[in-house]
Each structure stands twice: as C-alpha cells, then as structure tokens.
Amino acid sequence: MRKRLHLILGVLFVLAFLCEAVFWAGAAALPDVGRPIRQSVQREAPLVLTYTVSGEALGKIVPSFVGVGEQWASAAFEPGYQRIKDDPNVTAALIFGNTWNGTHRLAKAGIYGTPLLLALALLAWFLRPKQVRLMGSRR
C-alpha cells in the first residue's frame, strides 16, 4: 500500500480537480447568477478562477459536463439566489461565507482540499520506498 500511496493520492487529486472544475464552470454558467459569480471569482478568488477556466475548457470538449455542473451548482447556491441578484457586489462574501447546504459545503471544502491532495501526492512520491539492490544487475 505504501508503495503505491503516491498513485492513489494522485488519482484522488485528478478526480477532485475535475469535480471542482465541473462545479465552478457550472456555477459560472447559471442563467441568473452565473455572471455575478464569475465576476466575483475573477476579482477575489484566483484558485476558484483556475477551476472555472479549466471547467469551461473541459465543457467545450465534453458538453454534458456543463449541464451536470449547472445542476450541481444550482443545488448548492439556490438558497442565495435572491441575495446574489439583489446585490451582486457581495457575491463572494455570500458564496465563501456561510454554508447553505451539504453540496455547498462540499464545493467549498474542495477549493483547498484539491491542492492539499496534490501536496500529499507529491510528498508521498518523494517519500516512496526505493528499490534497494544489494548486488549488481544480472545479465
């Protein structure tokens, strides 16, 4: 298990990154609140902007991901739609402040959880057990 821990963590990082990218690209594509969310992310959250841009590029390759992301983001942000529409300037405070539901909590945790998985995968790769050869290679 320890021998392959870096691979497991690497795969988990890729999956988490894809999930975050699909979610945030879907959030930026929401019909009524997508534009304020996108503008807020551009101004105040460069890491989330990375997920958004990556998700939009992925959405061009696999268009069904956009619909999945929109549904997921809609479920997360629906309790705050009216507040975002009323005052788009506080969108970042609303999104990154209080947690509205479990989907919103998961998306917020993934923002920093994804780079943490990358750091752990790299650490596990550097600390992986090396093959030790006591004798020269046989030919």
Side-chain angles (χ1 to χ4, degrees):
M1 171 87 167
R2 185 169 174 230
K3 199 186 290 189
R4 291 190 170 72
L5 183 61
H6 64 286
L7 294 174
I8 294 168
L9 289 170
V11 168
L12 288 175
F13 162 72
V14 170
L15 291 175
F17 186 87
L18 289 175
C19 287
E20 285 294 308
V22 167
F23 176 84
W24 288 106
L30 288 171
D32 295 333
V33 295
R35 187 166 182 236
I37 289 173
R38 173 67 187 240
Q39 290 171 343
S40 165
V41 163
Q42 277 182 299
R43 281 191 313 265
E44 301 179 39
L47 183 58
V48 176
L49 181 62
T50 302
Y51 296 139
T52 304
V53 170
S54 300
E56 290 169 349
L58 185 61
K60 290 178 183 174
I61 297 169
V62 184
S64 62
F65 282 170
V66 176
V68 170
E70 280 185 42
Q71 289 176 348
W72 192 12
S74 177
F77 297 139
E78 191 172 13
Y81 271 14
Q82 194 57 45
R83 292 176 69 191
I84 293 171
K85 287 180 197 175
D86 292 344
D87 190 5
N89 295 326
V90 297
T91 301
L94 292 172
I95 290 174
F96 302 117
N98 296 332
T99 301
W100 294 318
N101 54 41
T103 306
H104 188 214
R105 182 178 297 111
L106 181 64
K108 283 175 33 177
I111 293 171
Y112 296 110
T114 301
L116 179 64
L117 279 171
L118 176 61
L120 289 173
L122 291 173
L123 182 66
W125 183 76
F126 283 118
L127 298 177
R128 74 189 185 282
K130 310 290 190 282
Q131 184 176 5
V132 177
R133 293 179 189 219
L134 297 176
M135 302 175 95
S137 62
R138 294 185 177 195
R139 292 183 198 234

